[in-house]
Amino acid sequence: MKLVEHFATGLDAPICLTWELTYACNLACLHCLSSSGRRDPRELSTEECKTVIDELQRMQVFYVNIGGGEPTVRSDFWELVDYATAHQVGVKFSTNGVRIDAAAARRLAASDYVDVQISLDGATAEVNDAVRGAGSFDMALAALQHLADAGFRDAKISVVCTRQNIGQLDLFKELADRYGATLRLTRLRPSGRGADVWDEMHPTMAQQRELYDWLVAHGEGVLTGDSFFHLSAFGSALPGLNLCGAGRVVCLIDPVGDVYACPFAIHDAFLAGNVRTAGFQEVWQRSELFAELREPQSGGACSSCQHYDACQGGCMAAKFFTGLPLDGPDPECVQGYGELALASVTSAPKPTGDHSHRGGVRGGPVPVSIGRHPESRPVSACEENPLAGLTV
Amino acid sequence: MLALHPQVSVRPEPFGALLYHFGTRRLSFLKDRRLLDVVRRLDGATSVDEALSDVPAGERAAFRSALATLEKTGMLQ
Ligand code: SF4
Ligand code: SF4
């Protein structure tokens, strides 16, 4: 049996566990996968978080990807980071940089078990700030500068690839090199607020090809978190596991302790349980949903495709939130089958829970509701689109 | 004498084991339970041969090369 086949049937503990510590965020990015903004009053307390960490230590979850929201705005953020690393749980956290000042950077540089990812969605302020809000580009760069000054080695710059920034791949690489950082590219999924902007922001077919070629040429020095395995259908498989790990090697603990199959699948259909009531281990090892996801999956309409081995029909979350059947092609199927299938979709499930700031944040990207379906959009959609006029 | 790097943690899994190096952040997979046994026996054995003593002679070369890979990637030292 190949290793990935073992993975497909599940592991005793996840490899890639994301833990979102809070829904609170100082920004209001258009494509936020968790519709973050306001704190949820039911978020796990410091003590509850420590109990989760104790459990992760017992299960030998080697590291946890901490995100949010903006995790650093929790007042106990550093306490939890220290607690995790003291209990053999390494930390990789994602931040927009808001709290990474000189002191925080020195503290991070002094720790051996913490990795930092700074999110950036444009290699220029113009492109980045249109998505992440005014001033967010400078804030991220200031954080990177603090980290470099403090001698923090190998920070990551995490980019969600979009129609607006794919033309900037070389610029991103230069930017990362300038700070001694590693570039990490991930896929835009129609999750959270990402569902509202997916039509306008997901890469075109030509851009997907451009991205694939760029990844093949630069693969070695760039991380992708296994995001782009659906692009393998363009040619040879990209490095990585090339499988949808949801509930099998991947899962999410959200700020209120709900466990979802994947950070991009915050919806009741993918809710496996809650750490408060059952404990994480119980949910991971015994939830019905995860058992189902670990069953052999049917390729459905994809099974006759010659690329199925590498592409596996793509991303479950992307299919789900665009209203496509889970056993069929990805909406961004490089063979074009996804686009065809999308043409007959009339409605798609809405993400569970919206923690967006009411009325947006000062300097935030202009919150305009852009319907997902052409027929529900105003005729002059382009003028209302916050991304209109953006040329890259 | 070869042994697990002190920063490496081993997690048994149904298919074998996962190895994680907290220093290099590298993840390795042992695809065979018996390889896990050998890795465990390195600690306390006086030689690699001793750790391999339960492995059928015909398979030792494969195990040796697996150990060499683990050494090269810093999991063993
Ligand atoms: S649902 Fe998509 S993002 Fe989540 S693990 Fe599967 S392929 Fe990856
Ligand atoms: S038809 Fe399915 S398996 Fe083939 S490339 Fe498209 S999404 Fe991938």
Side-chain angles (χ1 to χ4, degrees):
Chain A
M1 215 194 312
K2 284 193 299 185
L3 195 57
V4 291
E5 289 162 6
H6 286 292
F7 286 172
T9 60
L11 300 171
D12 288 350
I15 295 177
C16 188
L17 169 64
T18 298
W19 186 3
E20 298 188 340
L21 284 182
T22 179
Y23 280 118
C25 188
N26 51 311
L27 299 182
C29 304
L30 293 176
H31 59 340
C32 180
L33 80 167
S34 54
S35 301
S36 285
R38 291 168 293 125
R39 185 180 169 273
D40 190 309
R42 299 166 303 158
E43 288 178 6
L44 299 180
S45 68
T46 307
E47 285 318 307
E48 286 172 316
C49 287
K50 288 183 177 173
T51 305
V52 171
I53 294 169
D54 293 340
E55 224 185 340
L56 299 182
Q57 178 184 24
R58 279 198 300 278
M59 292 173 76
Q60 287 192 281
V61 173
F62 303 124
Y63 59 88
V64 48
N65 304 294
I66 289 184
E70 172 52 45
T72 63
V73 304
R74 263 188 81 125
S75 57
D76 57 2
F77 175 73
W78 299 106
E79 182 184 347
L80 293 175
V81 168
D82 289 345
Y83 190 84
T85 55
H87 288 78
Q88 282 92 46
V89 179
V91 169
K92 309 185 181 195
F93 75 89
S94 294
T95 174
N96 55 44
V98 64
R99 292 282 157 85
I100 310 298
D101 56 12
R106 280 196 299 273
R107 170 185 195 127
L108 288 165
S111 164
D112 282 339
Y113 300 116
V114 185
D115 288 325
V116 186
Q117 279 180 21
I118 309 283
S119 304
L120 209 57
D121 293 322
T124 54
E126 188 199 9
V127 174
N128 179 78
D129 291 3
V131 177
R132 304 184 58 82
S136 61
F137 183 78
D138 290 344
M139 183 167 77
L141 261 53
L144 284 163
Q145 191 62 55
H146 286 309
L147 290 169
D149 290 346
F152 183 89
R153 302 233 314 266
D154 202 21
K156 313 284 183 286
I157 297 180
S158 194
V159 176
V160 177
C161 294
T162 62
R163 195 172 303 174
Q164 289 71 29
N165 70 21
I166 287 229
Q168 297 189 312
L169 292 172
D170 287 330
L171 283 177
F172 278 119
K173 185 79 178 73
E174 280 168 32
L175 193 86
D177 290 345
R178 201 181 324 142
Y179 291 98
T182 301
L183 187 58
R184 179 171 182 272
L185 300 176
T186 61
R187 180 176 177 193
L188 174 73
R189 277 105 175 172
S191 311
R193 285 195 295 270
D196 303 331
V197 292
W198 196 78
D199 284 344
E200 290 77 15
M201 286 180 66
H202 83 93
T204 63
M205 187 68 88
Q207 287 179 320
Q208 294 210 85
R209 178 83 224 193
E210 189 182 339
L211 173 61
Y212 173 79
D213 290 338
W214 197 90
L215 288 172
V216 169
H218 297 82
E220 285 298 297
V222 176
L223 306 171
T224 62
D226 222 6
S227 280
F228 298 112
F229 63 91
H230 68 298
L231 298 183
S232 294
F234 275 131
S236 54
L238 295 164
L241 289 178
N242 293 316
L243 102 155
C244 169
R248 311 198 261 196
V249 292
V250 172
C251 83
L252 166 75
I253 303 177
D254 94 336
V256 303
D258 282 340
V259 180
Y260 291 94
C262 162
F264 295 96
I266 302 184
H267 187 281
D268 288 343
F270 302 110
L271 176 60
N274 188 288
V275 299
R276 264 190 184 119
T277 41
F280 177 67
Q281 180 161 12
E282 178 71 21
V283 177
W284 175 264
Q285 295 181 350
R286 274 178 277 281
S287 82
E288 272 171 45
L289 173 75
F290 285 180
E292 241 168 74
L293 290 172
R294 292 165 195 168
E295 291 288 310
Q297 305 289 308
S298 130
C302 286
S303 32
S304 58
C305 171
Q306 53 166 331
H307 301 293
Y308 184 68
D309 266 357
C311 164
Q312 305 259 333
C315 170
M316 178 186 79
K319 293 187 256 202
F320 183 79
F321 287 120
T322 49
L324 292 179
L326 298 188
D327 63 344
D330 187 285
E332 293 182 306
C333 162
V334 304
Q335 303 281 305
Y337 295 126
E339 254 165 73
L340 277 178
L342 281 176
S344 55
V345 169
T346 49
S347 75
K350 286 262 163 275
T352 302
D354 184 358
H355 296 82
S356 304
H357 292 284
R358 297 192 190 93
V361 292
R362 191 146 37 111
V366 189
V368 176
S369 62
I370 22 181
R372 288 188 332 138
H373 306 293
E375 61 275 20
S376 68
R377 242 182 265 153
V379 185
S380 56
C382 287
E383 270 126 80
E384 290 203 45
N385 185 330
L387 302 166
L390 201 73
T391 44
V392 186
Chain B
M1 180 54 209
L2 217 51
L4 265 186
H5 188 284
Q7 279 184 297
V8 171
S9 181
V10 178
R11 183 170 106 201
E13 284 288 350
F15 63 84
L18 277 175
L19 261 49
Y20 183 69
H21 192 307
F22 281 91
T24 62
R25 319 284 206 258
R26 223 178 224 281
L27 202 57
S28 282
F29 307 99
L30 303 187
K31 296 191 219 178
D32 191 317
R33 274 270 172 174
R34 293 174 308 154
L35 182 55
L36 172 62
D37 294 338
V38 169
V39 165
R40 291 213 157 124
R41 290 184 57 185
L42 283 172
D43 188 29
T46 52
S47 68
V48 174
D49 282 335
E50 189 188 325
L52 286 171
S53 57
D54 283 353
V55 176
E59 290 185 76
R60 287 199 193 145
F63 276 73
R64 274 182 207 286
S65 89
L67 292 178
T69 308
L70 290 173
E71 187 180 2
K72 209 162 52 209
T73 53
M75 294 290 177
L76 299 177
Q77 64 169 21

